Amino acid sequence: MGDTQHRSAHAGTGGTTVATSHEGPAGASARAAEPSGTPGTPGNGLGGGGGLPRARAFGAERAFRGLTLAAGTAVLVVIAAIAIFLIAKAVPALRANSESFWTFEGWFPNDDPPKFGIGALAFGTVLTALLALLIAVPVALGIALYLSHYAPRRLGNGLGFVIDLLAAVPSVVFGLWGRDFFQRPVADLSAWLHTYFGWIPIFGEGPYGTSILLGSVVLAIMVLPIVTSLSREVFRQTPTANEEAALALGATRWEMIRTSVLPYGRPGVIAAVMLGLGRALGETIALALTLGSTYAISFNILQTGGNTIAANIANRFAEANDTGRGALIASGLVLFAITLIVNITARAIIYRRREFTESAA
């Protein structure tokens, strides 16, 4: 075919110019308009407007995602492996047990036939931990509020550092201190409580010495830095605008804390308390040195006695035979289940509280 003339107006002269082009197959002009570079890739020319470059198959983002997924999966695998191990080792001893594992108040796994039960140990574990939290949490919250909203910054930082140091003290040191030094003052306190409050069932008669009260006081001192540190950091995260708004409306310092700081920090405080509860449930050496190693369900926290699952494992493992070790592992399985229930409950409480706060906002 011949050449085709295209007439167009020239912007500069107002005249016309004639452009000559050759006809070609369909798509030829599109291919001719492609910029130099990778054929068929839009946006490689000077005109821009193309898409983003294709992500590499094994980039840093995908590697990091795989690493985090592997880490999270590893935690679940470890928990499942621990549960499988405990169940596998506990089943033979549970089958050989001649008494009810849940209700029998005694521990004789080395006898023939073996007899042992978890009821008294589980009761002592929960009672000691709850009593320790009852003592530690009010003190910890008071210290946290003082350090975050009342104390001068330099003094608050110094006291906070000293309290954090308590978490670094080994538990055996607390246990020896409680048994050799603190036992006498707690025995005197027990006698005083029985004299004036003996009508309350938990303040029964003696003898006084290594008791639930002594173990709970020592355990409360051990839990104190955990709850204090976490609560202090949570209270410091309260938005300054909330605090200043309460003060601008004429609220006192305490009213500002009650209406702005405590509601904002409640989920964090619950998490701190539950973390302290988990620490208290699993404590071993300190309670092995400060409890009386008895196997009875009693609400009398002053009388010599008391025992926990972890303390019983520490005291009985050396003398246990095959069945005895299986019985101790079975008790560890119960403690493992209690800890999981506590953590799941804490997460559920925090999640529901967060949902309520977000819906209210």
Side-chain angles (χ1 to χ4, degrees):
M1 305 297 290
D3 295 340
T4 303
Q5 294 182 345
H6 300 279
R7 188 176 301 275
S8 61
H10 194 282
T13 61
T16 60
T17 60
V18 177
T20 304
S21 62
H22 296 279
E23 291 181 351
S29 60
R31 287 194 300 270
E34 286 183 358
S36 61
T38 304
T41 303
N44 285 346
L46 298 177
L52 295 175
R54 183 181 300 174
R56 289 179 296 177
F58 297 99
E61 178 70 22
R62 181 168 296 184
F64 180 75
R65 185 185 307 165
L67 182 62
T68 55
L69 177 61
T73 305
V75 173
L76 298 179
V77 170
V78 169
I79 294 176
I82 292 174
I84 293 173
F85 165 78
L86 293 176
I87 294 173
K89 295 294 184 180
V91 167
L94 292 175
R95 288 178 177 175
N97 187 16
S98 59
E99 296 289 343
S100 173
F101 178 70
W102 302 107
T103 59
F104 180 68
E105 297 181 19
W107 195 263
F108 309 103
N110 296 335
D111 292 354
D112 189 17
K115 298 176 292 184
F116 56 90
I118 198 64
L121 296 176
F123 175 82
T125 300
V126 175
L127 179 61
T128 305
L130 292 180
L131 186 59
L133 287 182
L134 185 63
I135 298 172
V137 169
V139 179
L141 294 182
I143 296 174
L145 287 174
Y146 175 76
L147 296 179
S148 60
H149 287 82
Y150 286 95
R153 180 172 296 275
R154 182 174 299 179
L155 177 61
N157 292 335
L159 291 178
F161 177 74
V162 172
I163 293 174
D164 292 340
L165 284 179
L166 288 176
V169 178
S171 59
V172 65
V173 175
F174 282 107
L176 292 173
W177 170 73
R179 185 192 65 181
D180 298 336
F181 175 78
F182 208 54
Q183 180 177 350
R184 185 70 259 173
V186 171
D188 295 338
L189 175 63
S190 300
W192 182 85
L193 289 173
H194 175 67
T195 301
Y196 294 97
F197 301 97
W199 49 273
I200 302 178
I202 62 174
F203 300 140
E205 58 183 3
Y208 310 120
T210 53
S211 61
I212 292 289
L213 180 61
L214 176 61
S216 298
V217 171
V218 174
L219 195 57
I221 298 174
M222 299 177 65
V223 171
L224 185 67
I226 299 175
V227 182
T228 300
S229 299
L230 295 178
S231 300
R232 182 185 69 224
E233 296 304 321
V234 169
F235 292 153
R236 284 179 175 176
Q237 299 303 319
T238 305
T240 306
N242 294 4
E243 299 179 359
E244 293 178 350
L247 295 175
L249 292 175
T252 63
R253 180 67 63 87
W254 163 242
E255 290 173 341
M256 179 270 293
I257 291 175
R258 183 171 56 86
T259 58
S260 299
V261 178
L262 293 180
Y264 180 83
R266 187 174 289 116
V269 172
I270 294 174
V273 172
M274 290 301 176
L275 185 61
L277 179 58
R279 173 75 169 85
L281 289 172
E283 178 52 41
T284 305
I285 298 299
L287 294 181
L289 295 172
T290 55
L291 295 179
S293 296
T294 60
Y295 301 92
I297 298 178
S298 174
F299 287 94
N300 185 0
I301 64 174
L302 307 181
Q303 188 178 17
T304 298
N307 209 346
T308 65
I309 295 176
N312 185 66
I313 293 175
N315 289 329
R316 301 294 182 181
F317 196 85
E319 62 186 28
N321 56 17
D322 291 341
T323 304
R325 285 190 290 271
L328 293 175
I329 292 175
S331 65
L333 178 62
V334 174
L335 181 60
F336 180 73
I338 293 174
T339 305
L340 282 181
I341 292 173
V342 168
N343 290 329
I344 293 174
T345 304
R347 296 303 305 174
I349 293 174
I350 295 172
Y351 180 74
R352 292 189 62 181
R353 179 64 190 176
R354 184 178 302 169
E355 277 191 337
F356 174 77
T357 303
E358 292 176 353
S359 62

